Amino acid sequence: MIAELQLELARMRSLNINAGPVLTGKVAACDGGLVEVAGLPLPIGSLGAIENDDGEVSLAEVIGFRSGHSLMMLLGDTVLLRPNAPVRALGNPGAVPLGEVLLGRAVDGLGKPIDGGPPLAFDQTWPLAGHREGALERAPVAVPIDCGVRAINALATMGVGQRLGVIAGSGVGKSVLIDTIAGHAEADVIVVALIGERAREVSDFVNRHMQGARRGRMVVVAVPADHAPNLRLRAAQYASAIAEYFRAQGKRALLILDSLTRVAHAARELALLLGEPGAARGYPPSALAAVTKLVERAGNSARTGGSVTGLYTVLADGDDAQDPVVDTARAILDGHILLSRDLAQRGHYPAIDIPASLSRVMDDLVNEPVIEAARQLRSLISARDENRDLVLMGAYRAGADRVLDAALEHSAAIDAFLKQARGEAVNLPDSLAQMQDVAGLTVQNA
């Protein structure tokens, strides 16, 4: 008992306690989730604690200011919020707590555990918005990374420090694909941000992945769909800050953010609440800018040698590939994987539309024979897909198109290569070798 008390005293002595005055204010107004606080001039992004009559505390975040009042939004529900309720400032403005203790844990957007484990004793802080780096401080993408998915490894090879998007409508297999990559990708640290997902999916993901050997290098940041929009946006920024922290230590971090669209939805809610007019299909400019800022935080660091490889899912509302979020993400990302609903309905997993998917850095990662084999296989898949209806109607005659003839002759081998059972992993060397075998077979018999 005495030994435990001594350890606790040593921990308390090591804490950096701010002995200065605590800023306080009072609730002046509350309108549509927007809380005006008088007498508490805090920077945007700061946190405050609002006390109610029962002595309980509700956390809120500063999202703007107007006429000398701080505009705050609760990170929870507006339960028992009353006029003139006292508000006090919390923590360091713009900084979030993190550290090695996050490894193997699941937390929310504030760093509080949601896995039932003990509280976390953080020993580091990091800017929530990250450290901005110059363009020339980013090292090029030159080393391939194994994601465990054969079709991606071979036909859209990912690189360390790349930003890749997975674009799909709802129910097409996006979460299953991300689940496979999270369970088999090679990285020193894997940070998974589940933003706006169903609570059941968060629970299932944590139960599957937060055990065994991989648990010690994985961090899960999760905020389900029923939480406040500023907490959802904050969780995405927090996950990026965690990945940046490990990159600063020279480690290779894989950041998986599911989904970028729900981050844009959260940013849209905040912008509309502050009175910003909607532009592209109701998205204010700041909501789309939030997507760009988030994606740009990933990449290689020339200074530390560390990296953040970003994998971002993008939900195409109504399967619309021209959705503003999809278009914005596709323009800033280093490649994208498009999932097809038609393939999913035919039981083809993963339902990757190969002709419509690409990795903009693949040519810098693999040798010329692999590039040529990938081009050959893409040509065959594209010819088969474009003429599928013609072949099914019996209107196509063999010999009219040499490429299509080769694609139809080896269709079973191509499908066997593209399909992969859920939970199965195929490493990068095997994926490239199998692709070259399939491409060589079709060329030989063409």
Side-chain angles (χ1 to χ4, degrees):
M1 182 67 180
I2 295 177
E4 294 179 359
L5 290 175
Q6 289 176 338
L7 290 174
E8 184 64 20
L9 288 173
R11 187 189 67 82
M12 294 175 65
R13 281 195 296 268
S14 66
L15 294 176
N16 184 18
I17 299 176
N18 186 4
V22 178
L23 296 176
T24 58
K26 290 186 177 181
V27 174
C30 179
D31 181 17
L34 196 64
V35 180
E36 291 192 27
V37 178
L40 192 63
L42 293 176
I44 293 176
S46 302
L47 295 180
I50 304 177
E51 299 180 2
N52 58 33
D53 293 334
D54 295 335
E56 297 181 355
V57 172
S58 299
L59 294 181
E61 180 182 11
V62 179
I63 61 174
F65 46 85
R66 180 189 302 137
S67 302
H69 288 180
S70 294
L71 304 180
M72 306 185 75
M73 188 172 187
L74 289 173
L75 295 170
D77 298 324
T78 57
V79 179
L80 300 180
L81 186 64
R82 62 175 177 82
N84 296 320
V87 186
R88 70 175 188 273
L90 292 178
N92 298 324
V96 290
L98 42 70
E100 300 283 344
V101 294
L102 281 167
L103 294 174
R105 301 300 301 272
V107 298
D108 63 9
L110 298 172
K112 296 181 180 179
I114 59 174
D115 55 5
L120 296 170
F122 296 108
D123 55 358
Q124 301 284 337
T125 59
W126 194 268
L128 182 63
H131 291 295
R132 184 184 295 274
E133 294 183 342
L136 298 182
E137 295 178 11
R138 291 291 177 87
V141 179
V143 179
I145 184 174
D146 184 2
C147 70
V149 180
R150 180 168 48 214
I152 298 178
N153 277 341
L155 296 169
T157 309
M158 292 177 59
V160 175
Q162 182 181 3
R163 292 87 54 89
L164 188 72
V166 178
I167 302 173
S170 57
V172 185
K174 168 175 52 66
S175 297
V176 178
L177 181 63
I178 290 298
D179 191 79
T180 301
I181 295 175
H184 300 96
E186 293 183 353
D188 298 328
V189 177
I190 301 174
V191 182
V192 182
L194 303 175
I195 312 300
E197 295 295 327
R198 294 179 288 271
R200 177 192 59 79
E201 289 189 354
V202 174
S203 177
D204 291 346
F205 185 93
V206 172
N207 291 335
R208 282 194 305 272
H209 294 280
M210 302 300 281
Q211 55 185 329
R214 293 182 68 86
R215 176 176 180 174
R217 52 192 176 110
M218 182 175 289
V219 181
V220 175
V221 181
V223 176
D226 60 339
H227 287 62
N230 53 335
L231 186 59
R232 281 179 269 145
L233 180 59
R234 190 180 185 88
Q237 296 171 331
Y238 187 36
S240 298
I242 295 172
E244 287 176 328
Y245 167 76
F246 287 108
R247 178 178 63 188
Q249 296 180 347
K251 295 183 178 180
R252 291 184 175 181
L254 172 63
L255 172 62
I256 300 176
L257 198 154
D258 185 16
S259 74
L260 207 58
T261 302
R262 293 193 172 98
V263 172
H265 289 174
R268 177 176 61 184
E269 291 183 49
L270 293 179
L272 294 177
L273 189 62
L274 290 172
E276 186 177 350
R281 299 194 186 181
Y283 286 98
S286 64
L288 299 179
V291 171
T292 302
K293 291 178 181 178
L294 207 59
V295 171
E296 270 297 307
R297 296 175 66 172
N300 293 324
S301 173
R303 180 175 55 86
T304 66
S307 65
V308 175
T309 304
L311 187 64
Y312 304 91
T313 66
V314 185
L315 181 64
D317 291 334
D319 291 343
D320 183 9
Q322 305 305 318
D323 179 83
V325 179
V326 175
D327 204 34
T328 300
R330 191 164 44 198
I332 194 67
L333 291 168
D334 300 323
H336 57 271
I337 303 298
L338 183 65
L339 301 187
S340 165
R341 187 173 297 278
D342 290 338
L343 289 176
Q345 291 174 346
R346 297 203 297 264
H348 187 291
Y349 173 81
I352 299 175
D353 187 343
I354 297 298
S357 304
L358 62 90
S359 171
R360 292 175 177 155
V361 299
M362 180 175 175
D363 289 356
D364 300 324
L365 304 176
V366 295
N367 55 36
E368 189 60 36
V370 171
I371 295 174
E372 186 58 36
R375 289 173 180 167
Q376 175 69 23
L377 196 54
R378 279 177 171 273
S379 175
L380 295 173
I381 296 170
S382 178
R384 186 185 63 171
D385 291 348
E386 290 176 358
N387 295 278
R388 175 179 170 80
D389 293 339
L390 195 65
V391 172
L392 290 177
M393 289 188 301
Y396 174 74
R397 287 188 176 184
D401 187 329
R402 182 175 59 84
V403 176
L404 181 56
D405 289 341
L408 295 177
E409 182 180 355
H410 302 286
S411 181
I414 294 173
D415 284 338
F417 171 79
L418 296 177
K419 291 181 180 179
Q420 186 171 325
R422 179 174 181 173
E424 177 189 358
V426 182
N427 61 37
L428 181 61
D430 289 346
S431 300
L432 298 179
Q434 293 174 22
M435 178 191 65
Q436 288 179 289
D437 291 341
V438 174
L441 182 65
T442 57
V443 170
Q444 180 179 359
N445 293 272

mmCIF file of all heavy atoms in Angstrom, residues 158 161-165 253-256 298-299 308-312 333:
data_model
loop_
_atom_site.group_PDB
_atom_site.id
_atom_site.type_symbol
_atom_site.label_atom_id
_atom_site.label_comp_id
_atom_site.label_asym_id
_atom_site.label_seq_id
_atom_site.Cartn_x
_atom_site.Cartn_y
_atom_site.Cartn_z
ATOM 1 N N MET A 158 0.408 1.009 -53.647
ATOM 2 C CA MET A 158 0.506 2.127 -52.711
ATOM 3 C C MET A 158 1.964 2.351 -52.310
ATOM 4 O O MET A 158 2.770 1.417 -52.321
ATOM 5 C CB MET A 158 -0.318 1.836 -51.453
ATOM 6 C CG MET A 158 -1.811 1.807 -51.653
ATOM 7 S SD MET A 158 -2.681 1.370 -50.114
ATOM 8 C CE MET A 158 -2.112 2.685 -49.009
ATOM 9 N N GLY A 161 3.812 7.114 -47.504
ATOM 10 C CA GLY A 161 3.598 8.557 -47.565
ATOM 11 C C GLY A 161 2.571 8.993 -48.576
ATOM 12 O O GLY A 161 2.304 10.190 -48.730
ATOM 13 N N GLN A 162 1.951 8.043 -49.260
ATOM 14 C CA GLN A 162 0.930 8.368 -50.258
ATOM 15 C C GLN A 162 -0.396 8.674 -49.577
ATOM 16 O O GLN A 162 -0.671 8.221 -48.464
ATOM 17 C CB GLN A 162 0.749 7.200 -51.230
ATOM 18 C CG GLN A 162 -0.263 7.453 -52.342
ATOM 19 C CD GLN A 162 -0.430 6.250 -53.260
ATOM 20 O OE1 GLN A 162 0.175 5.200 -53.030
ATOM 21 N NE2 GLN A 162 -1.233 6.373 -54.292
ATOM 22 N N ARG A 163 -1.249 9.448 -50.259
ATOM 23 C CA ARG A 163 -2.626 9.691 -49.804
ATOM 24 C C ARG A 163 -3.563 9.043 -50.820
ATOM 25 O O ARG A 163 -3.634 9.478 -51.966
ATOM 26 C CB ARG A 163 -2.925 11.196 -49.713
ATOM 27 C CG ARG A 163 -2.164 11.924 -48.616
ATOM 28 C CD ARG A 163 -0.815 12.394 -49.072
ATOM 29 N NE ARG A 163 -0.922 13.203 -50.283
ATOM 30 C CZ ARG A 163 -1.109 14.530 -50.282
ATOM 31 N NH1 ARG A 163 -1.150 15.169 -49.142
ATOM 32 N NH2 ARG A 163 -1.182 15.208 -51.410
ATOM 33 N N LEU A 164 -4.240 7.980 -50.420
ATOM 34 C CA LEU A 164 -5.092 7.201 -51.318
ATOM 35 C C LEU A 164 -6.528 7.249 -50.821
ATOM 36 O O LEU A 164 -6.785 7.142 -49.610
ATOM 37 C CB LEU A 164 -4.611 5.752 -51.380
ATOM 38 C CG LEU A 164 -5.279 4.848 -52.418
ATOM 39 C CD1 LEU A 164 -4.813 5.222 -53.819
ATOM 40 C CD2 LEU A 164 -4.953 3.385 -52.144
ATOM 41 N N GLY A 165 -7.456 7.416 -51.740
ATOM 42 C CA GLY A 165 -8.867 7.449 -51.391
ATOM 43 C C GLY A 165 -9.579 6.180 -51.820
ATOM 44 O O GLY A 165 -9.251 5.588 -52.845
ATOM 45 N N ALA A 253 3.787 5.675 -40.057
ATOM 46 C CA ALA A 253 2.420 5.589 -39.553
ATOM 47 C C ALA A 253 1.449 5.436 -40.719
ATOM 48 O O ALA A 253 1.634 6.042 -41.779
ATOM 49 C CB ALA A 253 2.073 6.830 -38.747
ATOM 50 N N LEU A 254 0.434 4.602 -40.514
ATOM 51 C CA LEU A 254 -0.655 4.456 -41.484
ATOM 52 C C LEU A 254 -1.905 5.053 -40.867
ATOM 53 O O LEU A 254 -2.360 4.591 -39.817
ATOM 54 C CB LEU A 254 -0.874 2.980 -41.829
ATOM 55 C CG LEU A 254 -2.106 2.674 -42.698
ATOM 56 C CD1 LEU A 254 -1.990 3.333 -44.065
ATOM 57 C CD2 LEU A 254 -2.297 1.169 -42.853
ATOM 58 N N LEU A 255 -2.434 6.090 -41.482
ATOM 59 C CA LEU A 255 -3.645 6.747 -41.004
ATOM 60 C C LEU A 255 -4.816 6.315 -41.872
ATOM 61 O O LEU A 255 -4.837 6.568 -43.077
ATOM 62 C CB LEU A 255 -3.484 8.268 -41.051
ATOM 63 C CG LEU A 255 -4.734 9.096 -40.748
ATOM 64 C CD1 LEU A 255 -5.228 8.848 -39.331
ATOM 65 C CD2 LEU A 255 -4.467 10.580 -40.972
ATOM 66 N N ILE A 256 -5.788 5.650 -41.260
ATOM 67 C CA ILE A 256 -7.001 5.222 -41.965
ATOM 68 C C ILE A 256 -8.157 6.047 -41.425
ATOM 69 O O ILE A 256 -8.479 5.969 -40.231
ATOM 70 C CB ILE A 256 -7.268 3.725 -41.760
ATOM 71 C CG1 ILE A 256 -6.098 2.891 -42.297
ATOM 72 C CG2 ILE A 256 -8.566 3.307 -42.434
ATOM 73 C CD1 ILE A 256 -6.245 1.409 -42.044
ATOM 74 N N ALA A 298 -0.941 14.419 -44.277
ATOM 75 C CA ALA A 298 -0.238 13.155 -44.497
ATOM 76 C C ALA A 298 0.921 13.377 -45.458
ATOM 77 O O ALA A 298 0.949 14.339 -46.215
ATOM 78 C CB ALA A 298 -1.195 12.108 -45.053
ATOM 79 N N GLY A 299 1.899 12.475 -45.408
ATOM 80 C CA GLY A 299 3.042 12.567 -46.296
ATOM 81 C C GLY A 299 4.331 12.170 -45.602
ATOM 82 O O GLY A 299 4.347 11.828 -44.409
ATOM 83 N N VAL A 308 3.534 9.518 -42.855
ATOM 84 C CA VAL A 308 2.118 9.254 -42.607
ATOM 85 C C VAL A 308 1.497 8.874 -43.939
ATOM 86 O O VAL A 308 1.375 9.710 -44.846
ATOM 87 C CB VAL A 308 1.388 10.469 -42.009
ATOM 88 C CG1 VAL A 308 -0.111 10.172 -41.896
ATOM 89 C CG2 VAL A 308 1.946 10.825 -40.643
ATOM 90 N N THR A 309 1.157 7.606 -44.083
ATOM 91 C CA THR A 309 0.460 7.130 -45.277
ATOM 92 C C THR A 309 -1.031 7.244 -45.008
ATOM 93 O O THR A 309 -1.544 6.639 -44.063
ATOM 94 C CB THR A 309 0.836 5.674 -45.586
ATOM 95 O OG1 THR A 309 2.252 5.566 -45.722
ATOM 96 C CG2 THR A 309 0.172 5.206 -46.859
ATOM 97 N N GLY A 310 -1.713 8.036 -45.799
ATOM 98 C CA GLY A 310 -3.128 8.298 -45.561
ATOM 99 C C GLY A 310 -4.034 7.462 -46.446
ATOM 100 O O GLY A 310 -3.858 7.418 -47.662
ATOM 101 N N LEU A 311 -4.995 6.798 -45.833
ATOM 102 C CA LEU A 311 -6.020 6.048 -46.561
ATOM 103 C C LEU A 311 -7.367 6.604 -46.124
ATOM 104 O O LEU A 311 -7.768 6.443 -44.963
ATOM 105 C CB LEU A 311 -5.914 4.561 -46.256
ATOM 106 C CG LEU A 311 -6.817 3.636 -47.082
ATOM 107 C CD1 LEU A 311 -6.448 3.691 -48.552
ATOM 108 C CD2 LEU A 311 -6.725 2.202 -46.580
ATOM 109 N N TYR A 312 -8.051 7.263 -47.044
ATOM 110 C CA TYR A 312 -9.274 7.983 -46.714
ATOM 111 C C TYR A 312 -10.451 7.400 -47.491
ATOM 112 O O TYR A 312 -10.383 7.273 -48.716
ATOM 113 C CB TYR A 312 -9.134 9.467 -47.057
ATOM 114 C CG TYR A 312 -7.955 10.146 -46.409
ATOM 115 C CD1 TYR A 312 -6.717 10.194 -47.059
ATOM 116 C CD2 TYR A 312 -8.070 10.739 -45.158
ATOM 117 C CE1 TYR A 312 -5.634 10.822 -46.466
ATOM 118 C CE2 TYR A 312 -6.995 11.366 -44.561
ATOM 119 C CZ TYR A 312 -5.771 11.400 -45.215
ATOM 120 O OH TYR A 312 -4.699 12.014 -44.628
ATOM 121 N N LEU A 333 -5.896 13.970 -53.651
ATOM 122 C CA LEU A 333 -5.290 12.689 -53.290
ATOM 123 C C LEU A 333 -4.287 12.232 -54.346
ATOM 124 O O LEU A 333 -4.305 12.696 -55.484
ATOM 125 C CB LEU A 333 -6.377 11.625 -53.117
ATOM 126 C CG LEU A 333 -7.299 11.798 -51.904
ATOM 127 C CD1 LEU A 333 -8.497 10.868 -52.008
ATOM 128 C CD2 LEU A 333 -6.549 11.548 -50.605
#
